[in-house]
Amino acid sequence: MPSEPSETTSGVGETPLVVDALVQLSFAVQLVLTRVASVHDLSVTQLRLLGILRDRTPSMAAIADVLELDRSSVSGLIDRAERRGLVVRRGSPTDARVTLVELTAAAHTLAAELVEEVSLGLDALLRPSSEADRAALVRLAATLFAAVGPGA
Amino acid sequence: MPSEPSETTSGVGETPLVVDALVQLSFAVQLVLTRVASVHDLSVTQLRLLGILRDRTPSMAAIADVLELDRSSVSGLIDRAERRGLVVRRGSPTDARVTLVELTAAAHTLAAELVEEVSLGLDALLRPSSEADRAALVRLAATLFAAVGPGA
DNA sequence: TGATTTAGTTGGTGTCACCAAGTATATGAT
DNA sequence: ATCATATACTTGGTGACACCAACTAAATCA
């Protein structure tokens, strides 16, 4: 539950502290993403989209799966991205039903900048933490990643 | 956000891994929040709002500060929450300009359920990780708050 | 008192996410 | 080979959310 720093009364199991920490951390990261995105006049979703397309050219359906969005949501998302010159729709050579989505050259450049800026923002967030704790975070995310699957 | 060597990063060395981990983790948490919220027909923002109001009765401005939202966004947020019987607007006895926002009894009950469900969801996420890594996560989040302060 | 700041609302715009319904293409069963 | 069904994507409609600019009302201070 997104609460403020302290106080987590109930809490199931015996891990309210961890739960709070996770939620807080998550919102802090989202805030960094939101800020970086907004500097470039993008939404966090568009930012995420660029991240996904940096090394892939997936179908609409594949994008919907990764983002856990409805297909129609992806249609709109790609419409807007296309209108802004960030992506191009391409037909699939093997299946006339599918549409593949590809980053434009300009968007590739932009994506690189965004990665840089997000890194800077998150580094700032992590700077006060110990190296050991950061390593633990990486392990934790890797474990989680194995269970849940690729997210962004 | 997939990684890429972020060259110019000032302080930390092998940054991209940690950055990736953080972002992945953040989206995984948001996904849990989104699901829990949607089961109760709420948005993540409303969920967050309930979390904040659980132990406070802040002014509109204070809510805007904590959530880092525009005041007008908070107006709309509270409008919708009020329409759904989750909160009540109360005038301040000391300053006729300010509006205090309070959870209804029903919303208090709901908030407790939500905390429960989020805890379950996040516990599931963390289950495969070691106790030591979870402890590191808590430390990390705590450090982060000391530096950045509440609000995220 | 009169000017300025602060609190909150309203109106307008754009993004985003959903659902239901529709088209087109592929696949499977008979 | 054909017909039913499944899959890929789009369209239209709705609502939430977030922003900005402009506005009212109440405090503050000069």
Side-chain angles (χ1 to χ4, degrees):
Chain A
M1 197 59 184
S3 59
E4 275 298 276
S6 55
E7 227 258 314
T8 297
T9 38
S10 74
V12 155
E14 7 73 47
T15 45
L17 255 182
V18 197
V19 166
D20 254 22
L22 253 186
V23 172
Q24 294 287 353
L25 190 54
S26 172
F27 278 116
V29 171
Q30 294 292 318
L31 188 57
V32 169
L33 295 178
T34 301
R35 281 172 173 161
V36 168
S38 95
V39 164
H40 295 268
D41 213 5
L42 293 171
S43 67
V44 172
T45 307
Q46 299 280 353
L47 188 85
R48 242 187 130 183
L49 179 64
L50 294 196
I52 288 170
L53 296 182
R54 265 197 327 137
D55 49 7
R56 265 173 291 178
T57 301
S59 67
M60 302 290 282
I63 295 176
D65 287 348
V66 172
L67 256 32
E68 297 234 19
L69 289 179
D70 192 272
R71 308 256 157 115
S72 63
S73 305
V74 176
S75 273
L77 191 64
I78 300 301
D79 280 351
R80 292 184 293 271
E82 198 168 27
R83 214 178 297 138
R84 300 173 76 153
L86 298 173
V87 305
V88 190
R89 272 184 240 240
R90 267 181 31 207
S92 160
T94 68
D95 188 330
R97 292 170 303 176
V98 338
T99 302
L100 302 177
V101 182
E102 197 177 20
L103 276 196
T104 61
H108 260 111
T109 306
L110 176 57
E113 287 177 44
L114 293 172
V115 169
E116 174 83 13
E117 290 171 28
V118 169
S119 293
L120 285 175
L122 294 184
D123 274 357
L125 226 52
L126 292 171
R127 190 158 302 130
S129 292
S130 76
E131 188 56 48
D133 285 354
R134 286 198 290 255
L137 179 65
V138 175
R139 270 196 307 279
L140 207 143
T143 307
L144 181 150
F145 186 74
V148 172
Chain B
M1 286 284 288
S3 59
E4 197 185 319
S6 42
E7 177 62 29
T8 342
T9 47
S10 36
V12 195
E14 16 61 74
T15 321
L17 256 183
V18 196
V19 167
D20 258 20
L22 254 186
V23 173
Q24 292 286 349
L25 189 55
S26 173
F27 278 117
V29 171
Q30 294 292 319
L31 189 56
V32 169
L33 296 178
T34 301
R35 281 174 173 159
V36 168
S38 95
V39 164
H40 295 268
D41 213 3
L42 293 171
S43 67
V44 172
T45 307
Q46 299 279 352
L47 188 84
R48 241 187 132 184
L49 179 64
L50 294 196
I52 288 171
L53 296 182
R54 258 188 335 132
D55 49 7
R56 264 172 294 178
T57 301
S59 67
M60 301 290 282
I63 295 177
D65 288 347
V66 172
L67 256 31
E68 296 233 19
L69 289 179
D70 192 272
R71 309 254 160 119
S72 63
S73 306
V74 176
S75 273
L77 191 63
I78 300 301
D79 280 352
R80 292 184 293 271
E82 197 168 27
R83 214 177 299 138
R84 301 175 74 154
L86 298 173
V87 305
V88 190
R89 272 183 240 239
R90 267 182 30 207
S92 161
T94 67
D95 187 330
R97 291 172 304 176
V98 338
T99 302
L100 302 177
V101 182
E102 196 177 20
L103 276 196
T104 61
H108 260 111
T109 307
L110 176 57
E113 288 176 44
L114 293 171
V115 170
E116 171 93 7
E117 291 171 28
V118 168
S119 293
L120 285 174
L122 294 183
D123 277 354
L125 222 54
L126 292 172
R127 190 160 304 128
S129 291
S130 76
E131 185 57 48
D133 285 355
R134 287 197 288 251
L137 179 64
V138 175
R139 270 197 306 280
L140 206 142
T143 307
L144 186 148
F145 288 124
V148 173

